[in-house]
Amino acid sequence: MPNAYYAVFGHPVSHSLSPRIHGAFAQASGIALDYRRIDASPEDFHAALQRFAADGGRGANVTLPLKELAVAACSTLTERARLAGAVNTLAWSDGQWHGDNTDGAGLVRDLTSRHALDLRGRRTLLLGAGGAARGVAPALLEAGVGELVIVNRNPARADALSDALGQPGRAHSRYWEDLASLGDFELIVNATSAGRSEHDPLLELPFSLTNDLTGAVDLNYGPASIPFLAWARAGGCRVQIDGLGMLVEQAAESFQLWHGQRPDTDPIYAELRAPRDASAAIS
């Protein structure tokens, strides 16, 4: 039988910090771990996943743009993956893939535990309706945010996510063109890919969305998060948070699912954060 190993699937995926994060978790937990990056296009994803299982793959993380495609590969889904309509964590058992989505739990844990944000009652704007947005929306509602307004450049996707959440009095969609007339929010979450590549134009957002209590959160980290967080600073948002902490916390959820242990996330978060903070101080 092939040796068991783990991987992160994405396209592209060379930038992923997941191998470093899971390697640190494994070392601290005394677990021998083989964790790799696998670049798979949407067209090749299911074939690549089959090869991965045949070669000994027993667990995988899934990132952009494959999270929604991963749903179809699963025989079972957790409730949070079903609600999200997207999978970021796969576990192989009894010859089948089982899907979970740890993004929302990772985001809420980062915001509430690491950054001490009280999410309850916050009027919240969710920018985007793809796999990342679908992963965090149910968790934000469960964490107690007030009104959740979903805006996407493709309005049909925003409508679909709003319908899937099943809370019409609390979660609803609006048109991107209406952003300037939506009023202000206590929490703004950017779940779009804007700024991630030359093919994704930067967001153009009105400052009327913010007030002096607003927390601005980008699910991206590194260079991709710079444009939105710069907008948030210019708009006077009280708090600006990138997606690095969420990345670490969702990885910890996956690690616990696969290995039965929840790792301490603070050491690897501090290690990853240090060079970014130094770079920000220099610039």
Side-chain angles (χ1 to χ4, degrees):
M1 181 177 179
N3 292 328
Y5 73 103
Y6 298 80
V8 56
F9 284 80
H11 186 67
V13 77
S14 59
H15 67 285
S16 175
L17 294 174
S18 292
R20 185 172 172 184
I21 294 170
H22 281 275
F25 289 163
Q27 184 176 18
S29 304
I31 295 173
L33 182 69
D34 181 351
Y35 188 107
R36 311 173 188 180
R37 296 181 183 91
I38 298 177
D39 193 313
S41 68
E43 296 75 20
D44 187 50
F45 174 58
H46 288 291
L49 199 56
Q50 289 179 333
R51 293 192 297 269
F52 173 64
D55 291 342
R58 293 299 174 262
N61 291 122
V62 182
T63 187
L64 294 174
L66 307 173
K67 294 181 180 184
E68 291 169 87
L69 290 175
V71 172
C74 298
S75 296
T76 64
L77 297 171
T78 61
E79 179 63 12
R80 58 191 182 183
R82 186 194 65 77
L83 276 174
V87 163
N88 82 327
T89 303
L90 293 164
W92 182 260
S93 178
D94 300 323
Q96 302 175 100
W97 287 115
H98 304 273
D100 195 2
N101 194 306
T102 66
D103 281 337
L107 175 64
V108 169
R109 189 179 182 95
D110 181 55
L111 297 183
T112 58
S113 297
R114 180 168 289 114
H115 297 284
L117 289 186
D118 186 351
L119 302 181
R120 292 172 297 180
R122 287 190 180 231
R123 185 171 190 248
T124 300
L125 174 64
L126 179 60
L127 299 168
R134 297 180 75 91
V136 302
L140 288 170
L141 290 170
E142 186 176 348
V145 302
E147 179 187 15
L148 180 66
V149 178
I150 304 161
V151 180
N152 189 58
R153 284 173 287 193
N154 179 337
R157 299 200 77 183
D159 292 343
L161 175 52
S162 175
D163 291 344
L165 292 170
Q167 298 191 40
R170 193 170 160 219
H172 47 92
S173 57
R174 290 291 183 267
Y175 293 110
W176 194 272
E177 294 76 14
D178 295 336
L179 280 171
S181 63
L182 294 181
D184 56 351
F185 294 84
E186 287 78 49
L187 182 66
I188 302 175
V189 179
N190 178 33
T192 74
S193 60
R196 188 178 272 269
S197 77
E198 62 185 15
H199 305 295
D200 291 311
L202 300 182
L203 294 170
E204 294 184 8
L205 303 171
F207 289 126
S208 60
L209 296 172
T210 71
N211 59 50
D212 58 4
L213 298 177
T214 303
V217 180
D218 198 326
L219 302 191
N220 297 298
Y221 60 91
S225 67
I226 291 174
F228 175 75
L229 297 183
W231 170 85
R233 284 191 295 273
C237 294
R238 175 172 292 189
V239 179
Q240 305 102 39
I241 300 170
D242 71 4
L244 184 64
M246 170 186 164
L247 177 73
V248 172
E249 296 300 335
Q250 64 82 20
E253 294 273 331
S254 299
F255 190 91
Q256 183 175 26
L257 175 66
W258 296 331
H259 307 293
Q261 301 181 42
R262 182 172 184 91
D264 181 3
T265 58
D266 288 339
I268 185 61
Y269 176 78
E271 179 184 323
L272 294 171
R273 175 59 69 194
R276 286 169 170 76
D277 287 346
S279 175
I282 292 170
S283 63

